[in-house]
Amino acid sequence: MDFDFSQDEKMIREQVRKMLSARCDSGAVRSVFEGREAYASHVWQGLVEMGVMATAIPEEYGGVGAGYPSLCLVAEQLGAHLAPTPFSSSVYLATEALLLFGTEAQKQAWLPRLAAGEIIGTLAVTETVAQATADSIQLAFADGGLSGAKLIVPDGGIADFALVLARANGGALGLYITDLQQDSVTREAVATVDPSRNSSSITFAQSSAQLLGAAPDQGWSQLQQVLDRAAVLLAFEQLGGAQAALDMAVNYAQERFAFGRPIGSFQALKHMMADMYVALKLAESNCYYAAWALATGSAELPLAAATARVAAIQAFQLCARDNIQVHGGMGFTWEFDCHLFYRRSNYLTLQLGGLAEWENKLVDRLPAGEAA
Amino acid sequence: MDFSDTKEEATFRSEVRAWIKDAAPTYLHDSLAASGFGNTRTGEYEPLAEAKKWQKKKADGGWACIQWPKEFGGRGATPMESVIWGQEEGLYGKLAGTFIIGQGMCAPTLMAYGSEAHKQRYLPPLASGEEVWCQLFSEPQSGSDLAGLRTRAEQDGNEWVINGQKIWTSGAHISDFGILITRTDPEVPKHRGLTMFFLNMKSPGVTIKPIKQANGESGFNEVYFDNVRIPDSQRLGEVGGGWQVSLTTLMNERLAIGGSIATGFPEFKALIDNLPLGNGRAIDNPAVRSKLADWYVKSAGLRNTAARAMTALSKGEVPGPENSIGKLVAGGMMQDIAKFALDLQGLGGAIVDPAIAASSARLQAMLLRSPAVRIEGGTDQILRNIIAERVLGLPEELRADKGIPFNKIPSGR
Ligand SMILES: Cc1cc2nc3c(=O)[nH]c(=O)nc-3n(C[C@H](O)[C@H](O)[C@H](O)COP(=O)(O)OP(=O)(O)OC[C@H]3O[C@@H](n4cnc5c(N)ncnc54)[C@H](O)[C@@H]3O)c2cc1C
């Protein structure tokens, strides 16, 4: 057993950290947050130059085949820096869906450009203000075209193409690839709790689309498999965010004084931060395990992914929430970054379906008996 | 990153498995399986005798304390091999509870501070379970604030004379030896006036009185010292250096406890699988599912954290204070699990008779024993202080006794 990342993997993390420290400061996050940019193109460009979109894509499709553990550590850094880019939609979701289910021709057509960061993809599922279920999907596919609307699509306003969950001829669900640049597609920004991430509604009017892969009736189960893989990667973003929020709290608590002493010497705050640390450690260890399951294609991936996802949601939400508390009034200002973490923690919780959904999946996947 | 056994690990595992298959006291299997937390059941057999028998058998086969050097009764095994041993020993490992303090805390202290002759004399019988050791640290006036202890040691020629009282000493009544921390100089600040010894528990002047615990068992004791004489050769570390020595013990305490930590999750999961609730099944109830998920995340998180610590250990890194999270998470979780598990069974959940209660009353035993987990070996609050100060680097608490000679420190009840 060797339960740690390799030196090479850690080196990639360090390079990404350096680039993000230089390019993705609070100003970069705020330029998207305050609406001056749809996403941080300068940051995206930095990621393109480092070739990180290609990390887990095999060489035959233009990738570098460096594997999932490296990609996990890239994700962790993106989360720590609150990177306002469509990386998760394009890399964890669109790329993974193509790798898993695309036909050879589809892979050849899309993956090399995704690997190079030339195009951006996303996944469109949600149609109502309720937990998405198979029955809640109405968007129709008929005669080679999609018709209907998706209520909220992460990075929907930025992406060049989308994988759309749709119902063929009133029957089975499938995933369809569609070009979002075509005239029949209408996109409109949707305001969310986290404006540092683009979110849009998308309406299709007989927009031309193609089934992903060859199975027209496997859409729902394909979606679950894609979500499991993305959950691991997104959990690493949440981990990075949680760590950054905790660091911020610890630093502030050392510098701010009240009653003649640093507030970090008050036990109520120390214990609060100790609990943040505990949640973070548990999440980190669960995420590491899930990274291993993802990298090795282990049969344990579904359970490990749900476990990492639930733990990472808990850790990021707790750290972001209590980071505000440690900051007092300053924590509730627009100017301090505390709310950026708070907003992001709640957005990422919902991005792949929320805590309750993943708790449910986790329990469904537990083996019977004490072995669990 | 790799979770499977290496080739060497796999070979080692099959060797262990073969030996255990042959040697294990299978006649105790069912009783051990039904053992509640904090009370190891051995059916019609006497628990201490069975524990010693199994430990001796392991020692004779070269499988006791396998991480220790061979010359001290161990096997010179790697940390990873020791984990594999633990996994394969499984249920029978419950028998070793009696020896955890001696082997897990006293022995590392002896290894670090004992003379060569002491190590040769005392470590092998400690490994084989022929001699049992206890830890005489806590006192009526000093638990969390261990450095506030009052048991006096005064030098008299080549000997020290001990007077005072220890409390909560687990296993003192069945122990042959103990490590003892004392105050040798009350006129300097509290951490500086301490000295560590080990002593024979049968020494004249030692009186041991069992304390009945809240859960009805009697695992710990009061120990009184009335002019007990200890030769200076049994001093561990310098005169006045006892605090430093105790840190070795306490660091190992966290490892010894943290490695084999029980959370209650497996027992809860097994219960829930078949438990009816209302007109349906407990496992389909949303509140139950949410808690089940949360507790699974915690227990998997602890398991995976231990695996990471093990990897670090086998790469030669020293385990640090971050291991404090194990007991902190497990203690509270076990208490919550036990309470919730009983709640799902209505009034019947109150029954502690293992012949009637679900899961051989193991969850009821947890309810009654778990409060102690949050106190023994560092309370939840002390562990949070350690994480905050030593891991996160937050400022120390203001201390009313800082720099003040021990005999000038204010004291309450
Ligand atoms: C089952 C069991 C077995 C034990 N076995 C042994 C043994 O073998 N050998 C041995 O030496 N001891 C043993 N102990 C003793 C144990 O280590 C102490 O009970 C423990 O350290 C707490 O000390 P105390 O009981 O004096 O409580 P106190 O220190 O009086 O604590 C009372 C309360 O005050 C809180 N508190 C104290 N200081 C602080 C602080 N700085 N910040 C915040 N809160 C604080 C505590 O968290 C606790 O809630 C055992 C205890 C138990 C329950």
Side-chain angles (χ1 to χ4, degrees), chain B residues 17-255:
Chain B
R17 197 168 286 179
W19 189 82
I20 289 181
K21 188 161 178 273
D22 255 19
T26 44
Y27 58 96
L28 298 176
H29 182 278
D30 294 349
S31 307
L32 288 173
S35 287
F37 185 65
N39 55 5
T40 303
R41 292 200 189 108
T42 46
E44 64 202 273
Y45 304 93
E46 210 276 306
L48 181 61
E50 290 305 321
K52 288 194 167 196
K53 215 159 105 190
W54 175 229
Q55 193 63 29
K56 181 72 169 66
K57 198 163 188 184
K58 289 194 281 185
D60 291 344
W63 296 105
C65 299
I66 64 170
Q67 246 180 283
W68 296 9
K70 276 203 179 105
E71 47 172 332
F72 300 145
R75 193 186 186 85
T78 65
M80 207 61 81
E81 287 172 340
S82 159
V83 171
I84 293 172
W85 166 268
Q87 291 167 346
E88 296 299 327
E89 187 184 19
L91 264 181
Y92 302 107
K94 288 192 182 186
L95 286 168
T98 312
F99 309 115
I100 288 181
I101 290 177
Q103 295 173 349
M105 300 167 216
C106 302
T109 316
L110 272 180
M111 284 188 209
Y113 293 96
S115 69
E116 200 47 41
H118 286 150
K119 293 187 218 174
Q120 300 286 358
R121 157 64 186 85
Y122 294 105
L123 290 172
L126 220 174
S128 65
E130 286 161 285
E131 289 175 354
V132 176
W133 285 57
C134 62
Q135 177 197 9
L136 300 145
F137 281 21
S138 305
E139 297 186 7
Q141 302 290 338
S142 64
S144 303
D145 182 13
L146 176 61
L149 61 92
R150 297 172 180 198
T151 295
R152 287 280 286 150
E154 282 161 312
Q155 194 155 19
D156 180 21
N158 260 343
E159 290 186 327
W160 294 82
V161 182
I162 316 294
N163 281 288
Q165 186 203 341
K166 296 288 174 180
I167 195 170
W168 321 127
T169 317
S170 301
H173 56 302
I174 52 163
S175 288
D176 302 286
F177 296 91
I179 54 174
L180 170 70
I181 186 161
T182 62
R183 181 160 309 276
T184 41
D185 186 354
E187 313 210 329
V188 295
K190 62 181 185 180
H191 291 96
R192 279 193 258 143
L194 305 176
T195 304
M196 187 79 80
F197 299 94
F198 70 87
L199 87 163
N200 189 319
M201 292 298 284
K202 310 286 176 333
S203 306
V206 175
T207 310
I208 299 168
K209 293 188 183 166
I211 304 173
K212 189 163 184 183
Q213 295 170 185
N215 67 343
E217 310 275 322
S218 271
F220 56 30
N221 306 269
E222 292 179 294
V223 181
Y224 292 88
F225 298 88
D226 184 12
N227 289 318
V228 175
R229 301 186 86 83
I230 303 181
D232 186 56
S233 62
Q234 290 180 201
R235 175 164 46 80
L236 296 170
E238 301 298 314
V239 174
W243 182 250
Q244 203 51 41
V245 181
S246 76
L247 292 182
T248 306
T249 318
L250 296 176
M251 189 55 106
N252 280 286
E253 174 159 28
R254 258 168 247 133
L255 276 184

Side-chain angles (χ1 to χ4, degrees), chain A:
Chain A
M1 183 179 91
D2 179 1
F3 192 17
D4 195 6
F5 290 93
S6 70
Q7 285 312 320
D8 286 354
E9 288 155 3
K10 287 179 185 170
M11 200 135 80
I12 294 177
R13 161 162 67 185
E14 182 51 22
Q15 287 163 353
V16 172
R17 191 193 62 75
K18 276 200 187 126
M19 188 279 288
L20 291 173
S21 299
R23 295 196 186 191
C24 193
D25 59 3
S26 169
V29 179
R30 281 167 185 270
S31 85
V32 177
F33 185 72
E34 287 164 6
R36 293 188 291 279
E37 259 189 309
Y39 67 101
S41 50
H42 189 51
V43 175
W44 184 258
Q45 205 46 48
L47 294 166
V48 169
E49 285 159 20
M50 299 185 72
V52 292
M53 288 79 170
T55 308
I57 299 177
E59 287 172 33
E60 63 209 281
Y61 303 118
V64 294
Y68 289 97
S70 302
L71 189 56
C72 287
L73 294 184
V74 171
E76 180 203 75
Q77 288 307 309
L78 291 167
H81 290 86
L82 293 174
T85 69
F87 198 85
S88 56
S89 297
S90 198
V91 179
Y92 318 155
L93 290 164
T95 301
E96 286 303 312
L98 276 155
L99 279 170
L100 279 180
F101 304 116
T103 62
E104 189 55 30
Q106 286 168 337
K107 290 182 186 175
Q108 294 290 357
W110 298 97
L111 288 173
R113 287 188 288 156
L114 280 166
E118 287 166 19
I119 52 165
I120 293 167
T122 190
L123 174 73
V125 177
T126 305
E127 296 181 15
T128 59
V129 184
Q131 281 187 7
T133 60
D135 290 343
S136 72
I137 306 302
Q138 303 291 329
L139 199 136
F141 176 81
D143 307 325
L146 293 169
S147 303
K150 292 291 182 188
L151 181 64
I152 169 169
V153 180
D155 304 306
I158 304 165
D160 302 292
F161 74 96
L163 293 157
V164 181
L165 189 63
R167 197 174 290 287
N169 307 314
L173 290 179
L175 282 169
Y176 294 85
I177 311 183
T178 185
D179 182 349
L180 294 176
Q181 315 278 13
Q182 50 186 316
D183 288 344
S184 56
V185 173
T186 318
R187 303 191 251 181
E188 207 167 328
V190 195
T192 73
V193 293
D194 183 11
S196 70
R197 286 288 308 277
N198 175 274
S199 303
S200 296
S201 66
I202 307 183
T203 308
F204 302 92
Q206 197 53 33
S207 313
S208 92
Q210 190 186 45
L211 181 70
L212 174 72
D217 56 353
Q218 296 299 311
W220 189 253
S221 86
Q222 288 174 343
L223 174 70
Q224 303 313 311
Q225 292 176 62
V226 173
L227 290 179
D228 280 350
R229 301 174 78 79
V232 178
L233 295 158
L234 201 67
F236 272 87
E237 280 200 14
Q238 292 168 303
L239 211 54
Q243 179 76 60
L246 174 58
D247 290 347
M248 211 178 148
V250 168
N251 287 335
Y252 190 77
Q254 281 163 332
E255 286 162 13
R256 168 85 178 167
F257 276 61
F259 299 92
R261 53 196 264 212
I263 57 168
S265 68
F266 294 117
Q267 206 170 59
L269 290 196
K270 285 165 85 163
H271 287 192
M272 186 188 268
M273 287 182 266
D275 287 341
M276 290 156 78
Y277 174 83
V278 169
L280 174 61
K281 269 294 132 176
L282 294 176
E284 199 175 80
S285 299
N286 283 325
C287 283
Y288 281 27
Y289 189 75
W292 168 80
L294 178 62
T296 55
S298 162
E300 290 180 52
L301 177 64
L303 177 58
T307 306
R309 170 85 176 143
V310 170
I313 287 174
Q314 290 174 339
F316 195 12
Q317 287 197 322
L318 182 75
C319 290
R321 182 194 83 176
D322 287 346
N323 180 36
I324 296 181
Q325 190 66 19
V326 168
H327 278 76
M330 277 300 171
F332 193 61
T333 60
W334 190 259
E335 186 187 340
F336 264 60
D337 285 348
C338 301
H339 68 121
L340 299 182
F341 285 96
Y342 185 61
R343 290 164 178 277
R344 181 64 64 83
S345 73
N346 285 290
Y347 189 87
L348 293 189
T349 295
L350 303 172
Q351 190 174 346
L352 305 177
L355 180 60
E357 272 188 70
W358 284 93
E359 284 179 344
N360 248 325
K361 291 188 194 191
L362 190 162
V363 173
D364 282 339
R365 295 164 182 185
L366 282 178
E370 292 199 17

Side-chain angles (χ1 to χ4, degrees), chain B residues 275-352:
Chain B
L275 191 73
L277 182 65
N279 294 323
R281 303 187 309 158
I283 190 83
D284 297 326
N285 178 290
V288 172
R289 292 172 74 82
S290 174
K291 285 189 187 283
L292 198 56
D294 183 37
W295 287 326
Y296 179 76
V297 160
K298 288 198 169 76
S299 80
L302 289 181
R303 192 173 59 227
N304 293 327
T305 301
R308 287 171 67 195
M310 208 38 70
T311 297
L313 207 58
S314 47
K315 288 181 180 167
E317 289 166 34
V318 185
E322 62 277 3
N323 291 300
S324 305
I325 77 167
K327 193 176 81 76
L328 178 58
V329 173
M333 173 173 162
M334 180 189 281
Q335 200 167 19
D336 291 346
I337 281 185
K339 175 174 72 96
F340 189 70
L342 268 50
D343 197 59
L344 294 174
Q345 301 173 53
L347 183 55
I351 299 172
V352 296

